[in-house]
Amino acid sequence: MTQVKAIIGLANPGSEYEATRHNAGAWLIDALVRDAGDTLRPEKKFLGRYARIRLDGQDIHLLEPTTFMNRSGGAVAALAQFFKLAPDELLVAHDELDLAPGTARYKTGGGHGGHNGLRDIVRALGNDNGFHRLRLGIGHPGDARQVTNYVLGRPGKAERAAIDAAIDECCATLPQAISGDWTKAMQRLHSFSAVSRKP
């Protein structure tokens, strides 16, 4: 079973986007770095902020691309090439419109589902979509025309608390996921829900 060696959290760069729903993938990386007592450092050759941590006895590369979301592939490909990582050794964390805030799912392979970050990563990896994904639910505005403003908007307090609770659960299941025990990781994460109740 292939082990995950790098976790990439997708985001848009800059303080104006930091707290927006589209940056949920980066929130996961922030939680992992914080839990490890480490910090992300700017790394030009990976087009992002990088750290290497120990997670459950394994060395794991963490990366937050500092390119815009639709250019995420360059950072992922640079990291993979430098450390000679195959696509199935990568786990990409990203926001997911089709899941409610407070839920998260693992997935391997498949299409990009219209997500510009995933689309660019597939392209940059030579159209290989065999990397793992960690889909962090942000909910859907209910109208396709509102999606752009919605993902670039900030979640309400209860919504953010639900997303953070799901991220905590992701962190708890990552030791199984990175070691290749996807069944156990999925059983735990996919049964978890901290769905926010909007007032």
Side-chain angles (χ1 to χ4, degrees):
M1 187 70 80
T2 311
Q3 294 187 335
V4 168
K5 294 180 180 165
I7 303 172
I8 299 104
L10 301 189
N12 278 312
S15 54
E16 70 269 37
Y17 294 111
E18 215 170 298
T20 63
R21 294 181 182 93
H22 221 13
N23 278 33
W27 300 345
L28 174 90
I29 300 294
D30 293 342
L32 287 170
V33 170
R34 190 172 58 242
D35 291 350
D38 208 333
T39 51
L40 291 166
R41 288 166 292 282
E43 186 53 79
K44 278 186 183 163
K45 65 175 173 280
F46 302 145
L47 309 174
R49 296 164 69 226
Y50 168 83
R52 191 166 82 180
I53 64 164
R54 295 285 287 173
L55 184 58
D56 203 45
Q58 288 190 56
D59 274 339
I60 296 290
H61 305 289
L62 299 180
L63 180 67
E64 278 180 19
T66 48
T67 55
F68 277 95
M69 185 68 79
N70 61 353
R71 291 281 176 265
S72 301
V76 176
L79 183 82
Q81 284 162 11
F82 187 83
F83 291 113
K84 297 180 171 53
L85 303 175
D88 65 356
E89 294 174 315
L90 308 174
L91 174 62
V92 176
H94 64 90
D95 57 307
E96 177 56 70
L97 287 160
D98 294 336
L99 295 174
T103 59
R105 298 285 185 271
Y106 288 112
K107 179 183 176 183
T108 299
H112 53 69
H115 193 289
N116 289 332
L118 293 179
R119 180 189 279 119
D120 197 56
I121 291 167
V122 171
R123 181 199 58 74
L125 295 176
N127 290 324
D128 189 329
N129 66 355
F131 54 92
H132 306 285
R133 297 100 188 272
L134 181 44
R135 305 161 66 216
L136 299 163
I138 60 165
H140 196 287
D143 184 336
R145 290 167 300 185
Q146 293 171 11
V147 162
T148 300
N149 286 338
Y150 180 78
V151 298
L152 295 178
R154 296 172 177 226
K157 204 172 176 183
E159 199 184 327
R160 177 66 197 253
I163 294 169
D164 286 342
I167 285 172
D168 287 344
E169 190 68 8
C170 291
C171 291
T173 64
L174 275 170
Q176 283 103 32
I178 63 171
S179 67
D181 193 347
W182 292 102
T183 305
K184 194 178 266 188
M186 285 178 179
Q187 280 171 346
R188 176 169 174 177
L189 184 61
H190 296 192
S191 62
F192 176 84
S193 176
V195 177
S196 67
R197 297 277 176 264
K198 289 183 180 170

